Amino acid sequence: MTERTALLGRARPPGQDPPGVDPDAPGDGRPRRLARLAPRALAALALGLLRTARPRQWIKNVLVVAAPAAAGQLSSASALTKLALVFLLFTAAASAVYLINDAADADADRAHPVKCRRPVAAGQVPVPVAYAVGGVLAVGAPLTAWVLCTPFAGALLTAYVCMQFAYCISLKHVLVVDLTIVATGFVMRTMMGGLALGIPLSRWFLITTAFGALFMVAAKRYSEAVQLAGQDGATRALLTEYTAGYLRFVWQLAGGAAVLAYCLWALEGGGAHATAGLLPWRQLSMIAFTLAVLRYAVFADRGTAGEPEDVVLHDRALAVIGALWLGMYGLAVAGW
């Protein structure tokens, strides 16, 4: 054996390189392995950001269509395009709030048995990245609305972001104010579409939306209070301050006020619709709306309205009633 052979070792046949070594890469193959891992890491980060943005909650932003639909302003392509943009902007603003809220609560969430699985708390999304992406969305969404929609739409989205940040920081710990702010977020969604298209908003429309939102928010809190009665570690600190009786009173009061406001809204322009169509569809829609509130109240009374989207999407009777209401109001808007 020569000295050169002793130093370098025997030559290996092709295909018998040690595991983990790329023969086509310089050194030990690490650059190529890192290049393969980078796309996976970026994909995992993107998925974590998406989960933190709460895609299940995006359905709430469909409310931006409410005012234009009620006014019969969905027939033009330009209106639909602008509403699609408004939906995306409101989704971006809401996602910014979720991202920054989870980043701020990361330490507390890690100690929670359920919230510890959130991407930021679990380490899938670094806290600085969550802050950075949330900050970009929080600033970019209102500015885009200001430029591409109307200044009023931009101002409303700015107010929404500021209000939600105030809620996350301190106002969620203030009795009654927390319910009001959550309900106001729904009202802002319904206003956004009207402001973006320059549609006048009926006062009864806004009152109906406000009390309808309060009805669902209070029912959700009541359901949480009933389900967590006698248990330690409530997911919301204020649930220990509210009584079940008080929350029941709030959702009952809000439900009755929503029905009354809707009836006044349906009668507000009833004369024109009553004569233009075969039947007074706008007034008849009051029946379907009242039935929908009564049906939802069944779940609220049972304490099973903790997830409103599940109630709305999975209860067939409520879906049928909602379809009837939508059909009646659609016929009223069309003047049939």
Side-chain angles (χ1 to χ4, degrees), residues 13 18 78 119 130 143 155 161 165 171 189 199 207 213-214 230 232 241 243 267 276 279 307 310:
S78 60
L143 286 177
V161 171
F165 283 149
L171 295 183
R189 287 173 170 87
I199 299 172
I207 293 173
L214 182 60
D232 296 328
E241 302 293 333
T243 64
L267 294 172
L279 291 173
E307 297 295 337
D310 289 341

Side-chain angles (χ1 to χ4, degrees), residues 56 80 88 116 129 144 151 159 189 192 204 220 250 324 331:
R56 285 190 64 187
L80 293 175
L88 293 175
C116 64
V129 174
T144 304
R189 287 173 170 87
M192 186 69 176
W204 293 118
K220 176 181 173 68
V250 173
L324 288 174
L331 290 171

Side-chain angles (χ1 to χ4, degrees), residues 12 45 48 231 290:
R12 302 182 187 88
L45 177 61
Q231 300 182 18
T290 304

Side-chain angles (χ1 to χ4, degrees), residues 52-53 58 89-103 130-142 160-161 164-165 168:
T52 306
W58 294 354
L89 292 176
F90 224 113
T91 299
S95 299
V97 176
Y98 289 129
L99 285 162
I100 294 178
N101 178 72
D102 283 9
Y131 273 124
V133 176
V136 170
L137 293 177
V139 175
Y160 172 82
V161 171
Q164 293 300 318
F165 283 149
C168 294

Side-chain angles (χ1 to χ4, degrees), residues 15-312:
Q16 295 186 10
D17 297 283
V21 176
D22 189 341
D24 297 326
D28 60 356
R30 289 179 185 172
R32 180 160 295 189
R33 289 202 305 274
L34 292 176
R36 287 197 299 264
L37 291 175
R40 298 179 184 176
L42 290 176
L45 177 61
L47 180 60
L49 290 170
L50 180 64
R51 288 176 53 203
T52 306
R54 315 285 205 280
R56 285 190 64 187
Q57 304 297 327
W58 294 354
I59 190 174
K60 300 175 183 177
N61 301 325
V62 176
L63 289 173
V64 300
V65 182
Q73 299 294 324
L74 297 180
S75 57
S76 65
S78 60
L80 293 175
T81 302
K82 185 163 288 189
L83 286 176
L85 173 62
V86 168
F87 173 83
L88 293 175
L89 292 176
F90 224 113
T91 299
S95 299
V97 176
Y98 289 129
L99 285 162
I100 294 178
N101 178 72
D102 283 9
D105 294 345
D107 292 336
D109 288 347
R110 292 188 185 102
H112 194 276
V114 177
K115 295 180 180 180
C116 64
R117 302 170 189 169
R118 290 178 174 177
V120 179
Q124 183 179 359
V125 176
V127 171
V129 174
Y131 273 124
V133 176
V136 170
L137 293 177
V139 175
L143 286 177
T144 304
W146 191 286
V147 174
L148 299 182
C149 297
T150 64
F152 293 109
L156 179 68
L157 206 54
T158 302
Y160 172 82
V161 171
C162 294
M163 183 185 71
Q164 293 300 318
F165 283 149
Y167 173 83
C168 294
I169 294 171
S170 63
L171 295 183
K172 64 182 179 182
H173 302 296
V174 182
L175 287 170
V176 181
V177 173
D178 69 312
L179 299 176
T180 304
I181 288 182
V182 176
T184 302
F186 287 93
V187 178
M188 287 183 167
R189 287 173 170 87
T190 60
M191 294 175 61
M192 186 69 176
L195 293 178
L197 298 181
I199 299 172
L201 299 173
S202 165
R203 56 184 178 178
W204 293 118
F205 168 79
L206 295 176
I207 293 173
T208 300
T209 304
F211 279 108
L214 182 60
F215 167 65
M216 299 186 74
V217 171
K220 176 181 173 68
R221 294 287 194 273
Y222 173 78
S223 298
E224 292 175 346
V226 170
Q227 293 172 5
L228 295 173
Q231 300 182 18
D232 296 328
T235 57
R236 299 183 189 276
L238 282 187
L239 286 181
T240 59
E241 302 293 333
Y242 287 120
T243 64
Y246 175 77
L247 292 172
R248 175 190 284 272
F249 162 75
V250 173
W251 69 255
Q252 289 176 341
L253 173 66
V259 170
L260 177 60
Y262 183 86
C263 292
L264 294 172
W265 178 40
L267 294 172
E268 185 179 41
H273 290 292
T275 56
L278 180 64
L279 291 173
W281 295 114
R282 185 173 175 128
Q283 291 87 339
L284 290 175
S285 70
M286 295 187 296
I287 300 173
F289 184 87
T290 304
L291 288 175
V293 173
L294 292 176
R295 178 69 183 180
Y296 194 91
V298 171
F299 298 94
D301 189 61
R302 293 175 181 172
T304 57
E307 297 295 337
E309 58 272 15
D310 289 341
V311 175
V312 173

